[in-house]
Amino acid sequence: MGIAKKIAIVLGIIIVGYLLFSVVYNNTQPTEQESLNVITDDGSHLQSSSYPYKAKISYEGSWFAEMGDPNYLVKEEGDGTKTITLDCAPWERVCINAQKEDYGEGELKVQLLRDDQVVAENMSSNATGNVVINYNY
């Protein structure tokens, strides 16, 4: 057997091995969507176990609040009583900072609810009413 035939046989074996490896490798890899580990939610399936925290702000005038993870606070404003679902995983720390916008005389009351149970509460009747809740679970 000549040297050219030996080289052709070895190259043929390498090419067949490479093709088999490619087919097996490509068929066992996750799709691009699976590999991104993306979770999407359109908000239609809110459940207390997935989103356990809510902030309830009660005041007869207008108010402004920042709430959520202390490193990433979401801003919200409103009038009257409003309950806001904090769309998050069960954080270890939750912060709420609310303030009266109209400097009214009424009481600004802030409650942090976990699975619809009050776990922290604070209030102020001061005209500049600033209420802070820092909750560590």
Side-chain angles (χ1 to χ4, degrees), residues 5-61:
K5 283 188 177 182
K6 289 180 183 177
I7 291 174
I9 291 173
V10 169
L11 285 176
I13 291 172
I14 290 173
I15 290 172
V16 168
Y18 176 75
L19 290 173
L20 286 174
F21 174 78
S22 294
V23 168
V24 170
Y25 180 79
N26 287 331
N27 288 332
T28 59
Q29 295 302 307
T31 66
E32 183 178 330
Q33 185 67 22
E34 292 171 336
S35 66
L36 290 175
N37 196 21
V38 174
I39 299 173
T40 58
D41 182 11
D42 63 1
S44 62
H45 300 291
L46 292 178
Q47 297 177 1
S48 62
S49 61
S50 298
Y51 302 98
Y53 292 109
K54 293 180 183 176
K56 182 176 180 181
I57 301 173
S58 303
Y59 176 59
E60 291 184 15

Side-chain angles (χ1 to χ4, degrees), residues 55-59 61-67 73-84 86 96-102 108:
K56 182 176 180 181
I57 301 173
S58 303
Y59 176 59
S62 61
W63 50 265
F64 173 80
E66 295 179 317
M67 61 198 86
L73 296 174
V74 176
K75 297 177 182 179
E76 185 81 30
E77 58 184 85
D79 294 308
T81 299
K82 188 172 184 181
T83 301
I84 301 112
L86 302 176
I96 302 172
N97 185 0
Q99 184 172 358
K100 295 178 182 179
E101 283 192 324
D102 60 3
L108 173 65

